[in-house]
Amino acid sequence: MDRDLLTHLPVVVAVARRGGFALAAAELGMSPSAVSHAVRLVEERVGQPLFARTTRSVSLTEAGKALVETAAPALQDILERMDRIRAIRGQPSGLLRLNVPNIAIPLAVTSVVAAMAERYPDVTVELLTDQRLVDIVGEGFDAGIRLGEMIAQDMVTVRLTPPFKAVIVASPAYVGRHGRPRNVADLANHNCIGYRLVRSGALYRWDLTEDGKDVVVETKGTVIVTDSLAAIDLALAGVGLTYVFEPLVRAALAAGRLVQILPQTAMEEPGLFLYFPRRASMAPKLRAFIDTAQEIGRTSLRTPGRVA
């Protein structure tokens, strides 16, 4: 058995996953030169280059792709089995990597991570905020969080929040200057904060309901964002109308810092779900996150005005 080869395989997988030596080095806590040395050693052992390198990119060769496709699942399985063995001692441990959209942090993640810090000090939760839909398995995540309608059917899902509405809001100052839209068509006469979809690059069209029918509205305005939390800040500053999930602005609405516009047009969304491949459901660190989230969810349902 080539022990050096086995030792350095995780480095090769990290370079492939992150698409570069510097990013892999940062993830692994190694220097870039050490990462380069490990890859070079594996390449010498297998007798073929694993990566095609240019000044701008690093990509897998055919041999590298074959190696990573074999090694990555095996290494992940070993890590999960080690986590389960350590959990026998009583506490889950290890690094739990989650891919989440920004909105999930206040709506579904902060309270869970805070509770886990007290209950499971040997688990480190790494949150990568990302608006794109990514391959969580291929990019090395244990799980992801998204709206229920956006999750592939072959994933296991766990509800993190109740369904909630998407609402139009504005500041009292904006309404004082420009008045309220009278109907959906009147939105064309208002400054609407736009939202650009990161994955497609298109401008998001507002999904509303009018007279019992679903309508899609193209808006225009003086600012476009890629983050709902930025849109809320701009609305609070009186820039214009924005279309966001109601739990994100619930406190501002209650305090009168924002007002709801055309409340009859609000659409209901399915809520946020944790999702992961079926075989990952046995990992103790993920099980600990799920159990904590479900306990907090049950508590919040008994507490009016809160969202887990």
Side-chain angles (χ1 to χ4, degrees):
M1 179 183 295
D2 194 331
R3 298 183 186 277
D4 285 341
L5 180 64
L6 293 177
T7 301
H8 296 305
L9 278 178
V11 180
V12 173
V13 172
V15 173
R17 181 173 64 247
R18 300 307 300 269
F21 286 72
L23 291 173
E27 177 183 314
L28 298 170
M30 300 170 63
S31 67
S33 61
V35 169
S36 181
H37 173 75
V39 171
R40 187 165 57 251
L41 188 147
V42 176
E43 289 179 327
E44 290 173 356
R45 293 295 194 275
V46 301
Q48 296 186 67
L50 301 176
F51 296 97
R53 305 166 176 85
T54 70
T55 56
R56 294 187 177 182
S57 66
V58 174
S59 58
L60 285 167
T61 62
E62 185 175 348
K65 184 177 180 181
L67 177 64
V68 169
E69 286 179 348
T70 300
L75 290 170
Q76 184 63 31
D77 186 58
I78 290 170
L79 290 173
E80 290 175 359
R81 289 176 184 272
M82 289 178 65
D83 285 344
R84 288 198 288 270
I85 291 170
R86 283 194 291 264
I88 294 173
R89 297 181 305 176
Q91 286 287 341
S93 63
L95 177 66
L96 180 66
R97 300 187 73 235
L98 303 179
N99 183 282
V100 304
N102 287 353
I103 61 164
I105 302 297
L107 291 185
V109 175
T110 299
S111 57
V112 179
V113 171
M116 288 191 64
E118 296 294 327
R119 299 177 187 181
Y120 307 108
D122 294 330
V123 175
T124 298
V125 181
E126 179 178 349
L127 303 172
L128 190 147
T129 54
D130 196 339
Q131 308 304 86
R132 302 172 302 125
L133 285 174
V134 303
D135 175 3
I136 59 171
V137 177
E139 297 198 20
F141 293 99
D142 296 286
I145 297 175
R146 289 294 184 275
L147 290 173
E149 63 193 13
M150 302 172 68
I151 299 172
Q153 294 296 316
D154 60 346
M155 290 287 175
V156 178
T157 59
V158 176
R159 178 177 286 280
L160 295 179
T161 73
F164 44 68
K165 290 186 175 182
V167 297
I168 305 171
V169 296
S171 71
Y174 176 89
V175 172
R177 294 194 306 270
H178 303 283
R180 292 173 178 261
R182 298 180 300 277
N183 49 46
V184 170
D186 199 23
L187 290 173
N189 299 316
H190 284 265
N191 194 25
C192 297
I193 298 167
Y195 185 86
R196 190 171 300 282
L197 300 171
V198 175
R199 186 179 185 188
S200 67
L203 285 177
Y204 177 71
R205 298 186 298 171
W206 294 5
D207 294 309
L208 304 173
T209 181
E210 185 174 40
D211 298 328
K213 297 180 180 180
D214 295 346
V215 295
V216 178
V217 180
E218 292 186 4
T219 61
K220 62 180 182 179
T222 60
V223 63
I224 298 170
V225 301
T226 58
D227 180 355
S228 295
L229 302 183
I232 293 170
D233 284 343
L234 291 166
L236 287 165
V239 172
L241 311 179
T242 192
Y243 182 63
V244 293
F245 297 136
E246 185 271 338
L248 292 172
V249 292
R250 187 172 295 166
L253 288 169
R257 294 188 296 135
L258 290 173
V259 294
Q260 188 172 351
I261 304 298
L262 300 175
Q264 72 277 10
T265 67
M267 292 280 287
E268 185 166 89
E269 299 288 347
L272 291 168
F273 291 77
L274 182 79
Y275 68 99
F276 48 89
R278 189 167 301 279
R279 72 183 187 90
S281 60
M282 294 302 293
K285 60 189 177 183
L286 182 57
R287 187 75 255 169
F289 187 94
I290 292 169
D291 291 343
T292 304
Q294 290 182 326
E295 179 182 332
I296 289 174
R298 288 192 294 270
T299 301
S300 69
L301 289 175
R302 294 194 296 268
T303 307
R306 288 190 58 199
V307 173

